[in-house]
């Protein structure tokens, strides 16, 4: 049985939401379901939900496993450069046991290239906002998809409800969102991880274009990386060996990231300018299958590890059994 056939068989066996009655506290996010299990630890179950256009579109087979195992592969790589992170162990392909901490109310986006298509992108700011993004003036004379001389940090708020709001680094300090000493450490860690990520990606013929990091303070008072690192949901990847020729020709790079879900949904008829249209109506099984193929492909390209599809046991039952044994 080939990969697409295995994915089609799994269309009715996806992880929509995980519940855990033994948890001290529970939080359901867009993609992750989090459960506090002690005064120092949590379980994070990564669902197969996919979000775009500020909607949950549906589920993609094996997406949660891809995100969880991609993030965990990167967390383990970060040990080699001395980055503190929340991962303790992976207890299931979709579930990780992690350190409890207080999450900082700021998302840290590191950008290596002038690109993007949304109103929050660096390219939009370059064309429409006098080359200013998050208090940073980007240099003159750049072209879309060109590499910055040095990566830039463009933070945003992390609200529980509503859209993220762009911040300058000075805004973070002035508003008291993060202590100055903590922010300095966060900034250094983010740039160090991004540089490391770009080096590792280059070895797999990939360009890590930009990424989002989240940070927290662990129970011992140390800054740590939380949530996910360099996954297709948090990061933009391009194929390296075709980048230069496409850039010179004014063409878009070959992309490997979550953006393909948006493109396929629009290609299926969704009009982003129609306020009454529901993108879920354009997210069909063909897109779900293609998205799963691409997520798995990216996992294997990034990690250099073959993706292992679990046995046919119902995935929800498998996850519940793993969590009960903690």
């Amino acid at each position: 049985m080939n990969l697409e056939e295995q994915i089609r068989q799994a269309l009715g066996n996806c992880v929509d939401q995980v519940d855990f009655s033994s948890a001290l506290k529970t939080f359901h996010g867009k993609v992750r379901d989090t459960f506090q299990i002690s005064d120092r630890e949590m379980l994070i179950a990564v669902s197969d939900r996919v979000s775009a256009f500020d909607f949950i579109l549906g589920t993609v087979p094996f997406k949660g496993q891809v995100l969880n195992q991609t993030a965990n592969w990167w967390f383990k790589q970060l040990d080699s450069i001395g980055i503190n992170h929340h991962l303790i162990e992976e207890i299931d392909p979709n579930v990780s046991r992690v350190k409890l901490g207080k999450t900082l109310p700021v998302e840290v986006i590191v950008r290596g290239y002038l690109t993007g298509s949304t109103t929050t992108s660096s390219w939009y700011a370059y064309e429409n906002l006098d080359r200013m993004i998050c208090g940073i003036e980007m240099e003159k004379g750049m072209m879309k998809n060109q590499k910055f001389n040095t990566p830039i940090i463009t933070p945003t708020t992390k609200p529980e409800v509503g859209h993220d709001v762009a911040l300058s680094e000075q805004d973070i300090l002035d508003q008291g969102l993060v202590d100055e000493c903590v922010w300095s450490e966060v900034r250094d860690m983010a740039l160090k991880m991004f540089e490391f990520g770009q080096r590792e990606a280059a070895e797999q013929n990939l360009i890590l274009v930009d990424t989002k990091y989240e940070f927290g303070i662990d129970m011992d008072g140390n800054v740590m990386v939380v949530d996910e690192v360099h996954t297709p949901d948090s990061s933009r990847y391009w194929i390296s060996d075709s980048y230069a020729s496409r850039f010179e020709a004014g063409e878009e790079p070959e992309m490997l990231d979550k953006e393909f879900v948006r493109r396929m949904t629009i290609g299926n008829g969704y009009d982003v300018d129609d306020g009454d249209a529901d993108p879920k109506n354009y997210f069909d099984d063909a897109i779900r299958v293609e998205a799963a193929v691409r997520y798995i492909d990216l996992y294997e390209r990034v990690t250099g590890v073959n993706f292992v599809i679990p046995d046919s046991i119902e995935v929800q039952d498998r996850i519940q059994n793993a969590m009960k044994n903690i």
Side-chain angles (χ1 to χ4, degrees):
M1 187 184 305
N2 65 31
L3 178 60
E4 288 194 16
E5 290 172 338
Q6 290 177 294
I7 291 170
R8 288 192 188 94
Q9 285 197 354
L11 285 170
N13 189 24
C14 291
V15 186
D16 188 12
Q17 179 172 303
V18 178
D19 294 297
F20 187 44
S21 59
S22 300
L24 301 177
K25 292 181 180 179
T26 297
F27 174 75
H28 295 294
K30 283 186 178 180
V31 174
R32 288 166 176 77
D33 299 319
T34 304
F35 312 98
Q36 183 178 341
I37 57 173
S38 75
D39 60 355
R40 298 185 71 88
E41 295 182 2
M42 301 187 303
L43 297 179
I44 296 180
V46 189
S47 76
D48 293 326
R49 299 188 296 271
V50 61
S51 65
F53 316 108
D54 290 327
F55 287 86
I56 300 297
L57 299 183
T59 57
V60 169
F62 309 117
K63 174 180 178 283
Q65 179 179 341
V66 166
L67 293 188
N68 191 50
Q69 294 188 326
T70 302
N72 290 348
W73 184 87
W74 278 108
F75 282 131
K76 292 170 184 176
Q77 307 310 306
L78 294 181
D79 290 335
S80 67
I81 59 171
I83 297 291
N84 185 37
H85 57 76
H86 73 173
L87 179 65
I88 298 172
E89 65 172 337
E90 182 179 298
I91 68 166
D92 176 88
N94 288 68
V95 185
S96 296
R97 185 163 67 101
V98 302
K99 294 185 286 188
L100 182 66
K102 181 180 179 181
T103 303
L104 299 180
V106 173
E107 292 184 344
V108 180
I109 300 168
V110 184
R111 304 177 188 269
Y113 289 74
L114 177 62
T115 193
S117 57
T118 67
T119 56
T120 60
S121 70
S122 58
W123 179 241
Y124 180 88
Y126 198 86
E127 285 198 304
N128 299 282
L129 302 176
D130 295 325
R131 307 194 322 276
M132 295 294 297
I133 185 169
C134 297
I136 299 169
E137 183 177 12
M138 295 172 280
E139 61 189 273
K140 294 180 180 180
M142 293 187 69
M143 298 174 61
K144 187 180 182 185
N145 301 324
Q146 185 174 342
K147 186 176 183 179
F148 291 121
N149 287 330
T150 57
I152 61 174
I153 290 181
T154 59
T156 68
T157 57
K158 192 174 180 293
E160 293 185 8
V161 179
H163 297 286
D164 298 345
V165 177
L167 299 165
S168 70
E169 294 189 57
Q170 192 60 49
D171 289 335
I172 293 172
L173 302 180
D174 290 346
Q175 296 177 27
L177 297 174
V178 181
D179 178 80
E180 185 173 0
C181 292
V182 172
W183 176 251
S184 178
E185 188 171 354
V186 163
R187 191 181 196 284
D188 289 346
M189 289 172 69
L191 291 173
K192 186 175 183 179
M193 284 190 293
F194 190 69
E195 180 184 8
F196 177 74
Q198 286 195 311
R199 289 201 310 269
E200 292 292 306
E203 293 183 3
Q204 302 296 332
N205 189 34
L206 295 172
I207 296 172
L208 176 60
V209 179
D210 47 43
T211 194
K212 170 185 70 69
Y213 299 120
E214 294 189 35
F215 293 86
I217 307 296
D218 66 24
M219 302 307 291
D220 298 315
N222 302 308
V223 177
M224 64 177 175
V225 186
V226 302
D227 195 50
E228 60 185 329
V229 172
H230 302 161
T231 71
D233 272 16
S234 68
S235 309
R236 192 192 314 263
Y237 287 95
W238 294 337
I239 304 298
S240 181
D241 60 12
S242 62
Y243 164 73
S245 61
R246 284 175 171 259
F247 177 73
E248 290 298 326
E251 299 173 351
E252 288 295 308
E254 290 185 86
M255 302 177 186
L256 279 175
D257 51 53
K258 183 182 172 181
E259 183 64 25
F260 62 76
V261 173
R262 298 184 183 91
R263 294 198 304 271
M264 286 190 292
T265 304
I266 292 171
N268 218 23
Y270 173 59
D271 182 356
V272 294
D273 296 320
D274 183 352
D276 295 324
D278 186 342
K280 295 191 291 294
N281 296 331
Y282 302 89
F283 186 70
D284 59 20
D285 283 353
I287 293 178
R288 295 173 69 200
V289 171
E290 178 64 20
V293 170
R294 295 197 186 199
Y295 270 106
I296 291 170
D297 178 46
L298 183 54
Y299 169 81
E300 294 184 334
R301 286 176 183 259
V302 169
T303 66
V305 177
N306 290 332
F307 184 78
V308 178
I309 293 178
D311 294 335
S312 60
I313 182 174
E314 287 291 322
V315 63
Q316 295 276 10
D317 293 341
R318 190 197 74 217
I319 288 173
Q320 291 295 330
N321 290 335
M323 293 169 66
K324 287 176 183 177
N325 290 329
I326 288 295

